[in-house]
Amino acid sequence: MPNRLYVRNAWVFDLDNTLYPPELNLFSQVNALMTAYVMEELGLPKPEADKLRHDYWRQYGTTLAGLVAEHGIDPVPYLKKVHDITLDHVRPDQDLRAAIVNLPGRKIVYSNGSGPYVERVLAARGLLGVFDAHYGVEHAGYHPKPNREAFETVFNVDALPRETAVMFEDDPRNLKVPHEMGLSTVLVGPDMMTEDHIAYQTNDLTAFLNEVTD
């Protein structure tokens, strides 16, 4: 039961499709900007650029990691460009905010997006001031989840107590290494998964967190 997690004292949240519902479709905007970037930088037509973006995501964990590894692109302008999306339709979620505030111990956000993007989305969701720290891919030396080096880097910077931490993610790939590192893991999403590295699953993060503290 989720309330067994109350003995934990550190909470790691992914951002995209975790701290906001997938129905907001923020990543459709990001994906379109990534494809446009690949088209411009590599001189590819849209279908090839779109396929390359997806192939790099599958192989390297993020499109950025593939572009750096295969083409030596500068991640800084890339991250600025692909995260220049509109958040006009994003609304604050006071129930989620209250549920996170009620958790005991340290709370952080760790995303494969950029730090400024994380802060923009948290502000739109009314979640600034809730977390003790926010980490983007730049804080992991541009190594993406699910790479172990990425988790090691961020968790070491944060001094995260791994055996008493919980990680929330919408991508099951990104929970395997945290599970191996001793974190409890929660998959946020509608698809039921039975992998050993997933301890819990929910499609309602707010309700799940409220159960933790009941």
Side-chain angles (χ1 to χ4, degrees):
M1 294 294 294
N3 57 17
R4 294 177 183 172
L5 293 176
Y6 193 75
V7 298
R8 301 267 170 162
N9 63 5
W11 313 84
V12 184
F13 293 86
D14 176 47
L15 179 73
D16 290 308
N17 297 331
T18 300
L19 290 175
Y20 65 80
E23 292 77 17
L24 292 179
N25 287 323
L26 298 191
F27 231 73
S28 65
Q29 294 186 64
V30 175
N31 285 339
L33 291 172
M34 287 193 290
T35 296
Y37 184 94
V38 173
M39 290 172 64
E40 181 179 347
E41 288 295 310
L42 303 184
L44 296 176
K46 186 177 185 299
E48 291 183 27
D50 209 37
K51 181 179 184 302
L52 189 68
R53 172 184 62 78
H54 181 75
D55 288 346
Y56 283 170
W57 172 82
R58 185 174 55 199
Q59 180 178 354
Y60 289 96
T62 62
T63 300
L64 171 61
L67 290 171
V68 171
E70 300 288 344
H71 307 282
I73 69 120
D74 183 348
V76 176
Y78 168 89
L79 287 169
K80 184 176 181 180
K81 185 166 186 176
V82 304
H83 290 131
D84 186 19
I85 65 171
T86 179
L87 301 176
D88 294 345
H89 61 300
V90 180
R91 297 289 178 264
D93 188 335
Q94 295 304 320
D95 291 337
L96 177 58
R97 181 185 179 93
I100 295 172
V101 167
N102 286 337
L103 293 172
R106 185 168 180 79
K107 289 152 268 193
I108 69 172
V109 177
Y110 172 30
S111 169
N112 271 340
S114 68
Y117 168 72
V118 171
E119 293 193 10
R120 284 186 65 214
V121 175
L122 291 179
R125 291 288 281 160
L127 298 176
L128 281 182
V130 171
F131 298 97
D132 297 289
H134 317 140
Y135 299 102
V137 68
E138 66 268 42
H139 300 104
Y142 298 104
H143 300 290
K145 299 181 281 185
N147 294 357
R148 188 179 188 94
E149 186 174 1
F151 291 104
E152 292 281 4
T153 301
V154 168
F155 291 170
N156 286 342
V157 168
D158 193 75
L160 189 80
R162 301 172 190 185
E163 272 79 28
T164 57
V166 184
M167 182 148 191
F168 299 84
E169 259 279 359
D170 71 298
D171 188 341
R173 300 182 305 169
N174 295 342
L175 291 174
K176 190 172 188 302
V177 169
H179 169 75
E180 293 170 353
M181 296 169 73
L183 283 76
S184 189
T185 55
V186 182
L187 181 65
V188 181
D191 297 329
M192 296 303 297
M193 308 287 289
T194 58
E195 281 87 344
D196 291 342
H197 64 275
I198 298 172
Y200 300 90
Q201 184 163 10
T202 182
N203 60 6
D204 187 336
L205 179 60
T206 301
F208 184 92
L209 296 179
N210 286 333
E211 285 190 57
V212 169
T213 55
D214 277 349

